[in-house]
Amino acid sequence: MASSILHQWLSLVGAIWLQSINGTNSNFPAYSSQLKQLLSISQIQLNNLAFASDAGKLLGWLSGVAAVYLPLWLVLLIGATLGLVGYGLQYLFITNQISSISYAHIFLLTVLAGNSICWINTVCYVVIIRNFPLDYRQVAVGITTSYLGLSAKVYTVVVNAIYSSTTERAKAYLLFNSVFPLIACVLASPLVRGINSVGNSRKMKGGFTVMFLITIATGIYAIIGSFGSVLKRLAPLNNLIGMVTCLLLPLVIPLVEKMRDVLAGEWWLNKEIKVHSSIIEENTIDLEKIENENASDQNREEAVKEEIGVKLMLQRVEFWLYFFVYFFGATLGLVFLNNLGQIAESRGYSGTSSLVSLSSSFGFFGRLIPSLLDYVFSRSYKYMIPSPASIAALMAPMAGAFILLLNKSNIALYTSTAIIGVCTGAITSISVSTTTELFGSKNFSVNHNVVVANISIGSFLFGYLAALVYRKQGNYEDGKCMGMDCYRNTFILWGSCCFFGTFLALILYARTRKFYSQRCCM
């Protein structure tokens, strides 16, 4: 039993490390302008590369199928290998170590690299869903997902600490994008196995309390570090040391658990047989309680929603409402973040990497908030807000943030980026539990990859329209566009779409309100 609980915490720490370096596509805005110059491509071609990274998610369902039939450690290493090839060959090309790679080849490599993220994500989700009981499953998923939002911050801190040249930084992002996930996957592969959600909920509650304190402290440090970079008051090396320390802190929980096991073992050996018998009896009672809790969790999970496969899911009205809510919400936010480099450049703002770091830090907190609320109210379902209602509440301020971007001040840029980062992160986190709530957990690995496939569609449509407006307003000599007109119409369109998505989220809530009310009463 003790070893199982220890493995639960180790698997959570492993998932946190994997997610911290898995968001390789999120740092694209930090080097997109430099990549555009290095490759001598237009804004539309650059946007196509951003789309290519998201297009990899169209094949994300392959990772879900692989997770059903292959060992999880193998699925993890496949994802890391795809990223190594996708980003690694691009790095070798822009550093002139290999030649004769066309733009079409770079596009396909970017698709491959984008798909690699799905494989690692799928393994992290499956491990957490298998290893934690229902009461703490969303909490654990939310924590690991929040660290995925921190990826751009992690990469930016590392690159800024090592490189000073803007051109070298662009190359460094591609190098680290290819190498870091591979290293993390090799280290984490022994931990990625399921143990069927065995554990004492009372003991786990204390561990999650400490984990939340560590995670919140990490988020606060990330935001302080981002503002420190903007104000140039925090040395890059110090920022890197602080971030590495924050990522190592979650190890405290499994280390304490291991020490407790060792001390308990010594104490056990020094007791008489009678004491042994009483402890065994108590442990047997505790084991029965845990088994009853797990059985209750399983019964509640089965009663909450029937298990639905992909074919049946695609026939549900709720799925299509959910699909387009995500499309006009989280997907639209990700498109904004993909274009953040060009948006900042057009407004005459030079600190793009700091802005990306800021959006990543607030996105981290956005992803964490839903799991924190779920943790606080984990035993009081009647106080929980249904997921569709939560998404609607997040999309409204996000729509307002797009309109705020029509203001040309840097304060408006900072504020809007922070709001969109928080809301996008929160919707992304909530969507994981929403998929399991509406369609069950058995087919989650495939179902959720089908849902997030809309990211690639939105990336192309929204991104391509933004690139057309950008080109229309730009300088035909160098292809650059400077001024507020470059994205004014785009912001109006994005804001209107987000308001429409809010309306769809309210419809989804109305259709599922009865289901959520029954869930609260169980």
Side-chain angles (χ1 to χ4, degrees):
M1 178 65 66
S3 61
S4 297
I5 296 176
L6 176 62
H7 184 80
Q8 283 177 307
W9 291 119
L10 285 174
S11 66
L12 182 61
V13 173
I16 284 174
W17 288 348
L18 287 173
Q19 296 289 50
S20 297
I21 49 80
N22 191 36
T24 49
N25 61 337
S26 62
N27 60 46
F28 179 77
Y31 65 92
S32 58
S33 296
Q34 291 75 36
L35 187 65
K36 179 180 176 182
Q37 295 175 359
L38 289 170
L39 298 177
S40 300
I41 57 179
S42 67
Q43 180 62 30
I44 291 180
Q45 288 177 308
L46 182 67
N47 177 77
N48 288 340
L49 290 183
F51 158 70
S53 180
D54 293 328
K57 296 179 174 64
L58 284 172
L59 299 175
W61 59 271
L62 290 174
S63 63
V65 174
V68 175
Y69 297 102
L70 298 177
L72 291 179
W73 62 267
L74 180 57
V75 177
L76 192 65
L77 294 181
I78 290 174
T81 303
L82 293 176
L84 178 66
V85 174
Y87 286 115
L89 290 179
Q90 291 184 64
Y91 170 75
L92 293 177
F93 172 69
I94 67 172
T95 55
N96 298 317
Q97 298 185 49
I98 59 175
S99 58
S100 65
I101 290 185
S102 65
Y103 175 80
H105 291 144
I106 295 177
F107 183 90
L108 293 176
L109 288 173
T110 305
V111 171
L112 191 66
N115 181 251
S116 70
I117 298 173
C118 298
W119 292 74
I120 300 176
N121 267 344
T122 297
V123 171
C124 291
Y125 291 151
V126 170
V127 167
I128 296 302
I129 289 174
R130 290 181 183 176
N131 285 9
F132 287 89
L134 183 62
D135 285 341
Y136 292 103
R137 185 175 300 163
Q138 168 56 22
V139 175
V141 169
I143 290 176
T144 57
T145 303
S146 66
Y147 277 89
L148 179 64
L150 198 64
S151 289
K153 169 70 178 180
V154 172
Y155 281 97
T156 301
V157 167
V158 174
V159 171
N160 288 345
I162 300 176
Y163 299 92
S164 58
S165 169
T166 303
T167 302
E168 291 301 318
R169 285 177 179 175
K171 299 174 182 178
Y173 277 109
L174 289 173
L175 174 62
F176 292 152
N177 283 351
S178 63
V179 175
F180 282 1
L182 179 63
I183 295 174
C185 288
V186 170
L187 294 176
S189 57
L191 303 176
V192 289
R193 58 185 177 87
I195 55 174
N196 297 323
S197 301
V198 177
N200 190 317
S201 295
R202 289 175 295 177
K203 291 182 179 180
M204 294 182 70
K205 187 176 181 63
F208 274 110
T209 299
V210 176
M211 183 63 76
F212 267 114
L213 292 175
I214 292 173
T215 307
I216 292 171
T218 300
I220 293 174
Y221 176 80
I223 291 177
I224 293 174
S226 298
F227 281 114
S229 298
V230 172
L231 301 175
K232 301 185 184 303
R233 293 182 178 177
L234 185 62
L237 182 58
N238 293 337
N239 201 3
L240 173 60
I241 294 173
M243 183 55 61
V244 171
T245 302
C246 289
L247 292 178
L248 290 176
L249 281 177
L251 268 178
V252 169
I253 298 175
L255 287 176
V256 170
E257 187 68 36
K258 182 63 177 179
M259 291 177 61
R260 186 167 61 180
D261 291 346
V262 173
L263 293 176
E266 294 178 354
W267 175 80
W268 180 280
L269 292 175
N270 292 328
K271 291 296 180 181
E272 296 179 354
I273 296 177
K274 289 184 179 181
V275 179
H276 283 187
S277 300
S278 64
I279 292 176
I280 293 174
E281 183 177 353
E282 291 177 2
N283 286 342
T284 302
I285 295 174
D286 286 341
L287 181 59
E288 291 176 354
K289 289 181 179 179
I290 294 171
E291 291 175 347
N292 290 334
E293 287 178 2
N294 290 334
S296 177
D297 284 348
Q298 184 177 0
N299 292 336
R300 174 148 47 89
E301 187 174 10
E302 292 175 352
V304 164
K305 197 68 177 177
E306 60 180 303
E307 297 293 344
I308 296 176
V310 173
K311 291 183 179 180
L312 183 57
M313 182 180 70
L314 293 176
Q315 299 174 15
R316 299 291 179 92
V317 175
E318 288 82 3
F319 166 77
W320 291 107
L321 283 171
Y322 177 38
F323 184 89
F324 283 107
V325 165
Y326 198 102
F327 183 77
F328 292 120
T331 294
L332 194 54
L334 293 173
V335 172
F336 165 78
L337 297 176
N338 283 340
N339 285 269
L340 192 55
Q342 280 63 53
I343 291 172
E345 182 184 60
S346 68
R347 299 166 75 104
Y349 182 77
S350 58
T352 303
S353 62
S354 298
L355 198 62
V356 172
S357 178
L358 185 69
S359 67
S360 177
S361 300
F362 277 95
F364 171 82
F365 259 122
R367 291 169 182 261
L368 180 64
I369 289 173
S371 58
L372 179 60
L373 294 177
D374 187 83
Y375 174 73
V376 173
F377 298 110
S378 60
R379 297 294 180 180
S380 304
Y381 288 100
K382 63 181 179 179
Y383 296 115
M384 290 297 294
I385 302 175
S387 297
S390 299
I391 294 174
L394 289 163
M395 291 179 66
M398 185 173 167
F402 284 120
I403 304 303
L404 180 61
L405 284 167
L406 298 176
N407 187 306
K408 65 179 180 180
S409 67
N410 285 340
I411 295 298
L413 179 61
Y414 299 147
T415 304
S416 296
T417 300
I419 292 174
I420 294 172
V422 168
C423 295
T424 301
I427 294 172
T428 302
S429 179
I430 293 173
S431 69
V432 176
S433 61
T434 305
T435 301
T436 57
E437 289 166 0
L438 296 180
F439 311 115
S441 60
K442 182 179 180 180
N443 301 300
F444 167 81
S445 59
V446 178
N447 289 348
H448 194 64
N449 278 302
V450 172
V451 173
V452 299
N454 75 67
I455 294 177
S456 57
I457 301 173
S459 177
F460 176 75
L461 292 178
F462 293 127
Y464 189 73
L465 289 174
L468 287 178
V469 175
Y470 180 94
R471 186 177 67 174
K472 181 179 179 180
Q473 300 292 337
N475 185 334
Y476 287 97
E477 294 181 0
D478 58 11
K480 287 188 177 181
C481 180
M482 301 299 295
M484 293 297 296
D485 289 338
C486 300
Y487 284 94
R488 180 181 298 277
N489 293 335
T490 298
F491 293 148
I492 294 174
L493 174 63
W494 288 354
S496 300
C497 289
C498 199
F499 275 122
F500 179 66
T502 306
F503 175 69
L504 292 180
L506 292 174
I507 296 178
L508 179 61
Y509 166 64
R511 289 185 62 90
T512 57
R513 183 171 56 181
K514 182 178 180 180
F515 157 65
Y516 279 100
S517 63
Q518 292 175 344
R519 178 175 181 262
C520 291
C521 297
M522 297 186 66

